[in-house]
Amino acid sequence: MKQRVNIMRTLGITYKEDVISNLLVTLLNESNFWRHSFLKEILQIENPNTYRMKSYTRVTTSVGVPDIVSVVEKEDVVYLLLIENKLKADEGYRQTIRYASDECINDLKCHFELQNRKVETKLLYLTLVPETIPTSSSFLNISYEQLIQKVPPSEIEDIGLKMLYEDFVSVLTDFYTDLDLKEDDRLLEKFKENTEAERLKIRFRKLMDSIQTVETGLTRSEVGQVVGSGRINFLVQFSKDAWKGKVAEKGNGLYKLTSDTFDIHIECTFDVFNQIFSLPLHYETRPYLTKRNIKWGTEGYEQYDERREKVKSFIHKRIKELNDPTIRIFNGSNQIANVKINLTDETTVKEFKESLNQAITKISILVDAVLEKENV
């Protein structure tokens, strides 16, 4: 018999956040199996069948509208669950910070008449791309890959609901398939622009995770993403404790910059459109401030800039002495040098990782030597 069509894919609603939030709430409210599995496997609540649970979409508060809110309770226990559901959209401005605030939680307690009960809050950031980190550390980051593995469709009681969730799981399974990288894979073949950006971000993180022999003392940031002018760049930062100064204090609306409020780091950047991996060396304010913010929102910039110019000139001098064509000097507002990683269509993942390690080591030795100079 011919296999039936996938309903979610046919209707084009797989990545529609409002639609998927409706599906999740219906699963929580209408399927005992799915609800109990979710409570136990995702929220780590034991004996889930002893709890009553009611879930809602888009409950309005004074600081925004969380995607899903649930009240989970029994006699003397009440959990208030907020789920921020992210598929292909980014988090709104400080969204999870607002939802984790006392103001939001108190609004929800009033809405559900829980003011006089002891309530424990559970905050869940449900995301298609596990590399997407919520701004609030109070939210537990759970990927859809984890969800469909831990809460399967196998025993959903309603046949229509089971079909919808099976089809949703099928599309997500396809999304998460073939994201690993083998050492002999051709690197650029795995990072083609026509691959979904979200899949590229996961693959970029896997590539960075597989690099084990980076220069001693370097730490690596989470994967970031920059989108602008139709371009997408993925990046991670490598840095050392000695490469970071103090965080600039803020008073009367101005950041107080000094010679010690600096941040030096190497970025590994992948330009999706041009299929270029590059390694810029940045010297920036800490926290990072744009040119406009520096001009209008700081004081003491002269002290910061004096040291930056001194470090930059020493690094540029060393680069010229090295006479290495792969390292270029820059005079940007944040970038002071860049290492080119030569790639061809035949470059393998293994060869790229070896080149990346060599390039990072070059820059690291250079920066350490300059910072160790007296009076720098």
Side-chain angles (χ1 to χ4, degrees), residues 142-348:
I142 294 290
S143 72
Y144 268 100
E145 185 175 26
Q146 292 171 294
L147 178 70
I148 64 176
Q149 288 173 351
K150 294 182 177 182
V151 190
S154 54
E155 298 180 42
I156 293 174
E157 299 86 350
D158 181 88
I159 187 170
L161 193 54
K162 182 177 182 179
M163 288 172 63
L164 285 173
Y165 187 59
E166 282 178 341
D167 289 356
F168 183 50
V169 169
S170 175
V171 175
L172 292 181
T173 300
D174 289 345
F175 175 87
Y176 289 115
T177 297
D178 190 32
L179 289 175
D180 291 325
L181 295 164
K182 301 183 183 70
E183 293 285 273
D184 58 354
D185 282 338
R186 291 173 179 162
L187 182 75
L188 295 182
E189 181 72 23
K190 287 293 184 177
F191 283 90
K192 285 185 175 178
E193 188 190 12
N194 59 5
T195 304
E196 291 174 274
E198 293 79 10
R199 283 171 54 85
L200 287 179
K201 188 172 184 179
I202 295 173
R203 192 167 278 162
F204 183 77
R205 189 263 303 165
K206 286 178 177 286
L207 176 63
M208 293 298 109
D209 284 349
S210 69
I211 299 170
Q212 303 295 331
T213 56
V214 171
E215 169 79 4
T216 302
L218 282 170
T219 58
R220 199 198 79 203
S221 70
E222 300 287 349
V223 173
Q225 180 173 339
V226 181
V227 180
S229 303
R231 302 290 178 86
I232 299 174
N233 289 352
F234 301 119
L235 58 90
V236 296
Q237 295 180 357
F238 296 91
S239 190
K240 294 183 179 182
D241 290 342
W243 297 7
K244 293 183 181 294
K246 299 176 182 177
V247 178
E249 296 180 358
K250 192 174 185 179
N252 299 321
L254 297 175
Y255 284 99
K256 317 292 184 181
L257 297 182
T258 71
S259 60
D260 289 328
T261 54
F262 66 92
D263 182 339
I264 302 173
H265 57 263
I266 305 165
E267 286 188 355
C268 179
T269 303
F270 173 55
D271 179 340
V272 174
F273 182 81
N274 293 305
Q275 283 198 289
I276 294 173
F277 284 85
S278 59
L279 281 178
L281 175 64
H282 286 204
Y283 190 119
E284 302 170 351
T285 56
R286 189 179 188 204
Y288 168 72
L289 300 172
T290 63
K291 286 183 182 179
R292 179 180 175 82
N293 285 338
I294 288 174
K295 183 176 181 180
W296 302 108
T298 67
E299 60 181 35
Y301 177 74
E302 296 78 11
Q303 298 177 50
Y304 161 81
D305 191 50
E306 182 180 355
R307 177 171 183 171
R308 185 183 191 277
E309 287 299 311
K310 184 183 288 188
V311 171
K312 183 179 75 173
S313 65
F314 276 131
I315 286 177
H316 287 183
K317 182 174 182 290
R318 289 292 185 95
I319 290 173
K320 291 174 182 176
E321 291 171 351
L322 288 173
N323 195 29
D324 185 337
T326 67
I327 308 179
R328 298 172 59 197
I329 63 174
F330 273 79
N331 287 294
S333 58
N334 54 10
Q335 186 179 170
I336 60 176
N338 194 306
V339 176
K340 182 180 180 182
I341 302 177
N342 294 313
L343 298 176
T344 70
D345 289 341
E346 302 301 316
T347 301
T348 65

Side-chain angles (χ1 to χ4, degrees), residues 38-75:
F38 181 86
L39 290 176
K40 184 174 182 179
E41 300 298 333
I42 303 299
L43 297 185
Q44 306 297 305
I45 294 177
E46 295 298 325
N47 302 314
N49 60 311
T50 64
Y51 288 83
R52 301 180 300 279
M53 182 177 188
K54 185 65 177 177
S55 300
Y56 309 84
T57 57
R58 296 172 285 282
V59 179
T60 300
T61 76
S62 58
V63 296
V65 185
D67 291 321
I68 298 172
V69 179
S70 300
V71 177
V72 186
E73 62 182 325
K74 59 181 179 181
E75 291 73 23

